[in-house]
Amino acid sequence: MKNTQHHLPAILGTLLILFLSYSTGCRILPEGEVDPTPWDNPIIRDIYSADPAALVHGDTLYLYVGHDEAPEGATTYVMNDWYCYSTKDMIHWTNHGPVLSVRDFAWADGNAWAGQVVHRNGKFYYYVSVAQASTGGMAIGVAVSDSPTGPFTDALGRALITSSMTKFSGQPRWSWDDIDPTVLIDDDGQAYLYFGNTYPKYVKLNEDMISFDEETGIQPLLLPFVAGLPFTEALWIHKYKGKYYLSWAAGWEEQLVYATSDHPTGPWKPGGKLMTHAENCNTSHHAIVEFKGKWYIFYHNGTLPGGGSYRRSVCAEYLTYDEEGNIPLISPSP
Ligand code: FUB
């Protein structure tokens, strides 16, 4: 009895940690393990969020995410808008609310899937995946704004890439082979838009950022198997020390892998695995950026209470390079 009384504060402390950990969705670290990140994952907790895309502009990091609205237990996505969050220190985040919605594209029918915002000539371009029933599948639209936090408006009044433009991929009608755009504006000013599910492709964007070089057209992107896994979706492109790093979700359930090249369109040399399966979630989708001298990877998992594959949550980790420019495998932190 005396012993129990003596240990009561410790027992109560442990119970409190267990309760907090359950109610906030935080993972408890095994004894001796150190949390490398000074923030708690998931970093977004006020909504279910997915498919992060990061943009560094000035002293601020903007994080654009899809919004998972599926009811608990659902087995399909319910996604109608995209949110923007911002931070100056990776600890304090501001929710700028939904900055773009499927309704902003008069030609679209639903599925506010993954997108990315890039900045050029004082404007912010938001490339998104969205359903377009009239052309038989998912399409890529582009919206524009004078501010990183919107409001964004449809830049074209039609899709930039439609399912009917990519019939050569052999994907069936209503397929989702035209999703998950990622954009690089190279140092020589040429912009590239990479996209695709199962069949990765790219176009060279024109300087206006809302049309592409018709002469080059839509090109297949020849990607190697990395870690023995075939390409699935979720492309992200970034540069480090003059090299092009293309990363994506591979296999099923998805894992994140990368390849490198000396050129923006390949040939691509297998890099390695970035992250293994996301916890409690069948997809993986990520973004990689440098912010204030450190590299970060944003990704999603299903660890918020009530979460899962269709109620995901965005997390963040540090990303490092070794001396040869390889990215070591990244472990999820609590
Ligand atoms: O969020 C809908 C889709 O799931 C995305 O477009 C894919 O990358 C996967 O995360």
Side-chain angles (χ1 to χ4, degrees):
M1 184 66 189
K2 204 173 166 200
N3 266 350
T4 312
Q5 272 173 346
H6 182 66
H7 288 116
L8 204 55
I11 292 166
L12 286 175
T14 307
L15 285 174
L16 183 67
I17 288 168
L18 281 172
F19 170 74
L20 286 175
S21 134
Y22 175 77
S23 59
T24 61
C26 287
R27 187 165 64 91
I28 306 165
L29 279 178
E31 211 175 310
E33 204 176 297
V34 179
D35 181 356
T37 55
W39 57 82
D40 286 337
N41 276 319
I43 53 172
I44 297 180
R45 288 161 181 266
D46 51 349
I47 58 170
Y48 289 109
S49 60
D51 306 329
L55 168 75
V56 174
H57 186 66
D59 66 349
T60 306
L61 186 148
Y62 296 91
L63 191 61
Y64 300 88
V65 299
H67 180 197
D68 272 339
E69 298 177 87
E72 197 160 3
T75 53
T76 186
Y77 300 117
V78 179
M79 303 180 82
N80 294 301
D81 47 25
W82 296 268
Y83 272 63
C84 175
Y85 291 77
S86 71
T87 185
K88 288 184 191 301
D89 57 9
M90 288 296 293
I91 307 285
H92 303 94
W93 291 89
T94 305
N95 177 349
H96 299 280
V99 291
L100 182 65
S101 147
V102 167
R103 287 187 302 279
D104 296 321
F105 298 103
W107 48 268
D109 303 291
N111 290 2
W113 288 8
Q116 183 184 354
V117 175
V118 293
H119 174 245
R120 183 166 212 176
N121 298 334
K123 296 218 179 288
F124 297 84
Y125 295 91
Y126 205 155
Y127 300 86
V128 293
S129 328
V130 70
Q132 185 187 26
S134 61
T135 60
M138 291 293 290
I140 292 178
V142 54
V144 65
S145 174
D146 292 331
S147 154
T149 54
F152 286 87
T153 52
D154 186 0
L156 281 172
R158 59 180 166 77
L160 175 63
I161 308 275
T162 68
S163 195
S164 43
M165 292 177 190
T166 64
K167 285 198 174 128
F168 61 85
S169 72
Q171 300 293 313
R173 205 175 137 77
W174 261 116
S175 73
W176 45 65
D177 62 318
D178 300 314
I179 60 168
D180 294 0
T182 181
V183 171
L184 168 80
I185 304 171
D186 211 348
D187 301 336
D188 62 1
Q190 177 63 58
Y192 299 84
L193 183 148
Y194 309 77
F195 62 100
N197 170 297
T198 314
Y199 195 117
K201 315 161 195 91
Y202 74 91
V203 292
K204 286 166 99 170
L205 287 173
N206 293 329
E207 179 129 15
D208 64 11
M209 298 298 277
I210 58 171
S211 63
F212 62 86
D213 176 12
E214 302 275 353
E215 213 168 289
T216 310
I218 302 177
Q219 290 292 325
L221 195 57
L222 303 175
L223 299 181
F225 274 40
V226 181
L229 299 168
F231 169 80
T232 305
E233 58 185 358
L235 286 162
W236 182 267
I237 180 97
H238 76 277
K239 270 179 104 171
Y240 174 71
K241 293 195 172 169
K243 257 198 193 325
Y244 299 83
Y245 286 69
L246 192 63
S247 42
W248 61 87
W252 188 262
E253 298 179 346
E254 297 176 343
Q255 307 189 54
L256 298 175
V257 300
Y258 76 98
T260 57
S261 178
D262 293 327
H263 306 280
T265 56
W268 298 98
K269 187 174 151 236
K273 209 179 269 188
L274 288 174
M275 291 189 95
T276 56
H277 305 283
E279 196 176 339
N280 196 30
C281 178
N282 54 22
T283 58
S284 283
H285 194 116
H286 67 299
I288 296 170
V289 284
E290 185 181 16
F291 179 51
K292 299 187 175 172
K294 288 193 169 123
W295 283 87
Y296 297 91
I297 184 166
F298 297 89
Y299 62 102
H300 64 222
N301 63 24
T303 60
L304 265 195
S309 292
Y310 304 95
R311 287 153 69 91
R312 298 163 289 180
S313 295
V314 168
C315 303
E317 309 295 345
Y318 291 119
L319 175 145
T320 56
Y321 302 87
D322 69 15
E323 282 184 1
E324 280 80 48
N326 303 308
I327 305 175
L329 183 73
I330 300 154
S331 301
S333 67

